[in-house]
Amino acid sequence: MRDEILSRGVTRRAVLGGMAGVAALSLAGRAAAAAGGEAPALAELVKGGKLPPLADRLPKKPMVVTPFEKVGTYGGTLRRGLRGSSDHNGILRMVGNQSLVRWNMEFTKVLPNLAERWEVNDDASQFTFHLIEGARWSDGHPFTADDIVFAIEDCVKNSELYSATPAQLSVAGKAVNVEKIDDFTVKFTFAAANALYLENLATPLGQHPTLFPKHYCSQFLPKYNSNIAEDVKKAGVSSWPELFRARCGDIEIPSRWGNPDKPTLDPWVIKEPYSGGATRVVMTRNPYFWQVDTEGNQLPYIDELNFSISQDVESLMLNVISGKIDIQERHISVLANKPTLSQNMKKGDYRLLTLVPSTSQQCQIYFNMTHKDPAMRKMFVDKSVRQALSLGINRQEVIDIVYFGQSQGYQAGPRPEHPWYHEKLARQFTEYDPDKAGALLDKAGYDKKDANGFRLRPDGQKVFFAVDVIPTLYPDLVDALELVKAHWAQIGVDMKVNTIERALYYTRGDDNAHDAQVWPGPGGLDPMLDPRDFFAFHPQGSRYAIPWALWYTSNGKKGEEPPESQKKRMKLFDDARSTADLDKRGAVMKQIFDIAADEFETVGLCLAVGGFGIIRNNLRNVPEKEPDSWSWPNPGPALPQQFTFTS
């Protein structure tokens, strides 16, 4: 995807070299205002006096998007599928990409978005954003610096709404300070260097600055509403934070898409909400959307989005094959589905979408090294036990049976094509050697066995643990673990594949009540954005030691103090993300990889396998190859607002 706004650099000096992009924006903005193209339905509303003219709805210098293939035509309903009542991020990935900045198509550079440019001071502790002047919320109210200050200072930093400031907005245990310079300039000041802030701001978790319109959401805060207690009572909820969440949502909760009254900056706005019992979610075009194409036509081209809600993947697949879905990769991107989808391309009138994984690992196994049971903790903390379990996995069998031979044994770390690839971290203990695995377990004190051949712990209990997995989200991991279960039985270790729903999975992890859990290992193409497998970085992600991660993110106030090896990596990572110099970052990250390789805390199965999806043949301006990542929330950064239908 190309656009008329050129990316600025991450330092003040780099900004000075990007002024050509500003000039291009100014010219394009004037051209857009003069051209005045808009959807026919909106033109009718203008004609009837029910909507202001286009020139009064667009910014002075709207963001100009160059369509991927061609200038589109207005009209149509784009159909996409959700699964069940907790698939809200399926909407976010399609619509919620309206942050201050965004990713380019290649997932290599941060581009302007609602901030048309920015400056960063020399030590990367201060970011000054210049907003697109004249952008409006979907109800026509101006979007200004006041909204950003409100969102952070009044909402995100409110301890009754957030138990802790989100990691993206906190450095050295201190929350960012956000101040208004003028109506369209806002300054973010961190307590220390935060050189990765622009990259984090481009991810879904960076959306807070543009999420809460002050003129609407302030009514749900006691600071601005002296009658809030009465409003809470009328709404039938227990507290004002509950009312705020219900009306204004948050980045990753269903209620973000459940209130048609809440103004947004998205290309489409809620018409039929995501609520309990709903069979679909419908969104209609935002008449105040702040982007135009190269001929000055206001985006989006497509009139409506229709998210049908299927209760299982089989129903979703049937909708795809029968031509009832226009674009889909979520939930159907399972290798077992690819032959079926390939064979039905003509019937469904679609083409295939190729997804390039940003993840490192298809299936990472996280043994709980902070287990509440001392005997289980002792076993999982023993590195030789983890090495033995790794050597006891026949990875080639897993790859051949579950992944159709389309992978290779892998532990963790950047993918082979990444410049920071680390051979030891990626490849150690990936060979299948059950004899060596058994010898390691014998030496570790698990040499005695019961009548069934399963090993016994020193306390006489059988070596047994459960591995939590979410079958509705990652069915391939269930199949892989069933094979691993058989492999481990051969070395005398009994394991249960514990299939549970996503909510329970998180609850068990958050309560430190799990033995082990699995998840696709991140950090393949974005090792600094999600380093959870290199040290205990994320309280929900580093599932081998969540209390250590809580200690890190709370600056020692919560959780459990980790060992020195972990603390050293935490300090190194803080150093790495305090510099904008990529070479220096790489050198520090190598030190982290070296230590992580020596500690060998997680066990991986195989390199992440590329995914796929479908695109209906009459849907155009859609890139047919794109990154697949939560940090690059596909297909959002491909700008669905410029997708268009052909007749």
Side-chain angles (χ1 to χ4, degrees), residues 17 113 211 258 266 277 292 334 346 372 441 487 515 591 599 603:
N113 210 40
L211 191 61
D266 300 332
V292 299
V334 179
K346 185 174 181 180
K372 294 177 181 178
L441 290 172
H487 301 158
D515 297 338
Q591 295 181 58
E599 295 295 335
V603 172

Side-chain angles (χ1 to χ4, degrees), residues 254-310:
S255 61
R256 176 176 180 177
W257 314 104
N259 180 13
D261 294 332
K262 183 200 169 189
T264 79
L265 296 161
D266 300 332
W268 298 273
V269 298
I270 290 292
K271 181 179 179 181
E272 296 182 25
Y274 196 37
S275 57
T279 58
R280 69 176 187 176
V281 177
V282 177
M283 305 183 77
T284 189
R285 69 168 63 253
N286 174 2
Y288 291 91
F289 192 58
W290 41 277
Q291 295 177 7
V292 299
D293 67 16
T294 48
E295 294 185 2
N297 301 304
Q298 185 187 31
L299 298 175
Y301 293 130
I302 291 171
D303 290 333
E304 285 191 341
L305 306 182
N306 186 324
F307 296 88
S308 59
I309 300 176
S310 300

